[in-house]
Amino acid sequence: MFESLVESSKHGQENTRTGVYMLVTGGIYAVGLLVIGISTIVYMNPGLADSFDVAAMIAPPPPPAAPPPPAAQQAVPKNIPAPTTFTPPTKPPEKIPDPTTVAPKQVVAVSHGVPGGVPGGVIGGVPGGASKGDDPPPPPPPKPPEPTPTPAPKKLTVSGGVLQGKAINKVQPPYPPIARAARAAGAVQIQVTISEDGRVIDAAVIAGHPLLRDAALQAAKRWTFQPTELTGVPVKVQGILTFNFTLQ
């Protein structure tokens, strides 16, 4: 009975050693396979190899680029303001000269500190210019236009009686035989235009029997008149001549 208990304890110790050996061996094999797998993946993908580069991970980042140089600032001229305050003297003068015996000093016109300026000028003005009070006088008003003489009318219209009174040569028309045979009678009116020298330059029938018109028109063209003057200038005259045709 004691011999069986000793053998059982020996078998239990051997089983425990075998289990520890198998566990250690399996862990070693697992670590080896894991290393082999990772190495294969890194070898097949070069990008992963660069990411595991320890030297690249430890190296410091590149320095930043230098900033651009500042732009050159232009000097802006400043206008020097004229003194606006008066500082009284701390000590009165011991002797005041007589103004009648002191020669006047030559005054130099200065406008806002600019030699040659005009008193009362403005900042930025041209030295030697005129102030507002020295404006030149306005130019004289233009002369009124001279009245132009009224031109004389080119044609003067007169009545028949005046026209008859100025006639020099009166031509009476013959009685047309055809009008006499037709017993045509009555007055025929001819409008005539007389030139500056008294000649008939245009004639037209206004009214009258058709059989008598041509005879009156031809007679009116042969009339002559005295020249008509207006303010000493000869002008054309227009009027109406009347010819009466009567049967006897």
Side-chain angles (χ1 to χ4, degrees):
M1 183 173 125
F2 291 105
E3 291 178 357
S4 60
L5 291 173
V6 171
E7 288 180 359
S8 297
S9 60
K10 289 181 180 181
H11 283 293
Q13 292 178 356
E14 289 179 356
N15 291 334
T16 301
R17 291 177 182 177
T18 303
V20 172
Y21 175 77
M22 293 295 295
L23 182 60
V24 173
T25 304
I28 293 172
Y29 278 112
V31 172
L33 292 175
L34 181 61
V35 171
I36 293 172
I38 293 174
S39 302
T40 303
I41 294 173
V42 172
Y43 177 76
M44 296 299 294
N45 193 352
L48 293 177
D50 295 337
S51 63
F52 287 101
D53 189 359
V54 179
M57 296 174 61
I58 298 175
Q73 297 182 356
Q74 297 181 356
V76 179
K78 297 182 179 180
N79 295 327
I80 301 175
T84 57
T85 59
F86 172 74
T87 304
T90 58
K91 183 179 179 182
E94 298 178 356
K95 183 179 180 181
I96 301 176
D98 188 1
T100 59
T101 60
V102 178
K105 295 182 180 180
Q106 185 177 4
V107 179
V108 178
V110 177
S111 175
H112 295 284
V114 179
V118 177
V122 297
I123 299 176
V126 179
S131 63
K132 293 183 179 180
D134 298 335
D135 293 339
K143 296 181 179 180
E146 297 180 0
T148 56
T150 304
K154 295 181 179 181
K155 186 183 296 185
L156 182 64
T157 302
V158 296
S159 62
V162 175
L163 195 63
Q164 292 278 349
K166 286 183 171 293
I168 299 175
N169 182 23
K170 299 180 180 181
V171 178
Q172 296 297 327
Y175 210 111
I178 188 172
R180 189 183 296 272
R183 308 291 294 176
V188 179
Q189 294 181 343
I190 307 296
Q191 184 178 18
V192 295
T193 302
I194 304 168
S195 65
E196 291 84 349
D197 56 358
R199 294 180 298 105
V200 176
I201 58 177
D202 189 19
V205 179
I206 296 178
H209 196 283
L211 296 178
L212 303 172
R213 289 185 176 185
D214 186 64
L217 181 63
Q218 298 300 326
K221 290 180 179 180
R222 297 167 59 187
W223 281 42
T224 57
F225 301 85
Q226 295 179 356
T228 302
E229 295 183 355
L230 184 63
T231 63
V233 180
V235 295
K236 294 180 181 180
V237 177
Q238 188 177 56
I240 296 175
L241 296 178
T242 303
F243 297 94
N244 295 314
F245 293 84
T246 57
L247 292 173
Q248 295 179 356

